Amino acid sequence: KCQLPPGSQLRPGNHMDNSLDLWSRTDVQTCTYWRAPVMWDGMFNPQHYDEVYRRQNVTVALTVFAVGRYLDIYLEKFLSSAEQHFMVGQRVIYYVFTDDPDRVPQVKLSAGRSVTVIKVLRHSRWQDVSMLRMKTIADTIDSLIRHQAQYVFCLDVDQEFVGRFGTEALGDLVALFHSYYYHRPKFFYTLDHNPKSAAYVEQGDMYYHAAVFGGTWQQVKTLTQSCYWAIMQDKNNQVEALWHDESHLNKYFWLHKPSKVLSPEYCWASAIGYRSDIHVVRLVWAEKQYSFVRQ
Ligand code: UDP
Ligand code: MN
């Protein structure tokens, strides 16, 4: 049985445990076999979570990369929508990594929230831009973030917040169940089955989406450092994992089970269409014009 997450409320009519009435859902998986909660709308009381974390005066770091054309196309929408929905009422520091700091848009921020812009190199291959984020994040946690925030979320920029993405998502080590795979048998998971790659996994538990992961700065530092080492090991062996950093992230979460899993509400793809178990959409991927951004 899952542990009662902080801020959870008791309510009659529970199906998880006869002695303890939890809020829950019967139509979706709410707990992993290693007893991590899978966060779905209806399982938690948002106000309670917010009060608990407000009292702790936490600061949440949100890292996002906007290199090359991604800066013009996605960053403004990402930041302004985060102001509407991401950890509202909490202290937040956005760490924006870009090759062109002068072009970072000014977004109106609420009290207790700020943006730190960090210049990074623009790698010529998009695969490297994506994969080598792991190293930059690890280094920045070490040099900066650990002195400023307790929790770190690392997100892709090509998405937009459309609903609450709140303190219920905070945890030691947080992964996100990929919206394309949560309904599908493991057979379909696009894990890396190449034994030459450090990302090799035979089966996997869930297929996690690399567009969102997080945790305490300690956990995220270890995760990003490990993924970076694995990526470099592959480079030395002249192999590249099937889905780049996502394959390495999935390997990491296979070896180190996340303490919390976010439901696909936290990174939904509109192209999937209507699903009766998705009551709330919190973050959506932007439609991508690949020919335009990846040239
Ligand atoms: N990215 C970037 N510039 C690039 C390629 C990637 O800034 O040229 C960053 C950006 O934050 C993007 C993330 O790396 O969201 C992952 O790349 P992408 O979203 O293209 O990968 P996908 O989600 O399609 O797998
Ligand atoms: Mn993306």
Side-chain angles (χ1 to χ4, degrees):
K1 192 178 75 59
C2 284
Q3 282 176 348
L4 189 62
S8 290
Q9 274 206 334
L10 305 180
R11 186 165 88 173
N14 141 75
H15 66 282
M16 287 170 83
D17 180 335
N18 292 332
S19 63
L20 194 63
D21 287 337
L22 299 178
W23 282 27
S24 196
R25 289 267 298 263
T26 51
D27 57 333
V28 287
Q29 180 188 355
T30 56
C31 192
T32 66
Y33 69 82
W34 61 94
R35 299 178 180 197
V38 187
M39 301 306 282
W40 287 90
D41 183 58
M43 280 174 64
F44 59 89
N45 179 333
Q47 285 75 37
H48 268 212
Y49 267 91
D50 285 350
E51 278 163 31
V52 168
Y53 284 100
R54 198 56 243 136
R55 251 182 268 131
Q56 292 175 24
N57 198 23
V58 296
T59 299
V60 181
L62 176 53
T63 71
V64 67
F65 286 68
V67 175
R69 298 197 159 186
Y70 285 63
L71 173 58
D72 300 305
I73 302 176
Y74 302 114
L75 186 61
E76 184 156 19
K77 190 68 160 184
F78 179 90
L79 290 174
S80 58
S81 66
E83 277 302 287
Q84 300 302 311
H85 301 291
F86 181 77
M87 304 290 161
V88 172
Q90 312 291 330
R91 305 174 66 82
V92 170
I93 305 175
Y94 301 97
Y95 296 85
V96 174
F97 299 92
T98 179
D99 56 330
D100 194 353
D102 295 338
R103 285 192 3 259
V104 170
Q106 295 282 325
V107 171
K108 198 176 172 308
L109 302 171
S110 305
R113 301 168 75 102
S114 62
V115 174
T116 300
V117 179
I118 296 169
K119 189 172 160 101
V120 291
L121 292 176
R122 180 177 183 176
H123 301 286
S124 52
R125 297 171 66 239
W126 63 262
Q127 294 91 335
D128 285 334
V129 175
S130 187
M131 286 195 294
L132 298 174
R133 287 182 292 174
M134 293 294 187
K135 174 166 174 51
T136 308
I137 294 169
D139 290 350
T140 310
I141 289 175
D142 216 28
S143 62
L144 200 61
I145 297 176
R146 69 192 173 98
H147 305 295
Q148 302 180 335
Q150 293 77 52
Y151 293 95
V152 187
F153 265 100
C154 307
L155 269 62
D156 271 15
V157 74
D158 56 336
Q159 29 196 11
E160 180 186 349
F161 292 88
V162 291
R164 174 192 165 92
F165 194 125
T167 48
E168 73 282 358
L170 296 173
D172 263 11
L173 184 60
V174 183
L176 182 123
F177 205 175
H178 198 298
S179 57
Y180 279 173
Y181 299 99
Y182 79 107
H183 265 193
R184 311 188 90 183
K186 285 186 188 182
F187 171 78
F188 290 100
Y189 292 0
T190 52
L191 297 163
D192 193 316
H193 299 304
N194 174 7
K196 293 202 175 74
S197 170
Y200 171 80
V201 248
E202 209 167 303
Q203 198 184 26
D205 300 307
M206 299 170 133
Y207 190 77
Y208 303 110
H209 195 167
V212 176
F213 61 87
T216 58
W217 71 256
Q218 292 90 336
Q219 291 286 344
V220 178
K221 186 187 153 189
T222 309
L223 178 160
T224 47
Q225 217 160 40
S226 305
C227 288
Y228 172 63
W229 288 334
I231 289 164
M232 291 318 281
Q233 190 184 322
D234 275 7
K235 284 193 185 290
N236 286 334
N237 294 330
Q238 297 180 357
V239 284
E240 191 154 85
L242 184 63
W243 284 106
H244 318 106
D245 41 305
E246 187 162 87
S247 303
H248 291 284
L249 185 75
N250 270 278
K251 172 67 172 275
Y252 187 85
F253 283 138
W254 167 250
L255 298 174
H256 311 268
K257 308 298 186 205
S259 67
K260 179 176 281 187
V261 178
L262 303 178
S263 70
E265 296 162 4
Y266 290 82
C267 191
W268 189 242
S270 316
I272 297 173
Y274 173 79
R275 284 282 173 80
S276 62
D277 50 15
I278 303 293
H279 298 175
V280 180
V281 176
R282 305 171 186 281
L283 181 71
V284 279
W285 320 353
E287 289 296 329
K288 194 177 280 145
Q289 305 143 291
Y290 281 102
S291 57
F292 183 61
V293 293
R294 285 191 181 158
Q295 58 178 1

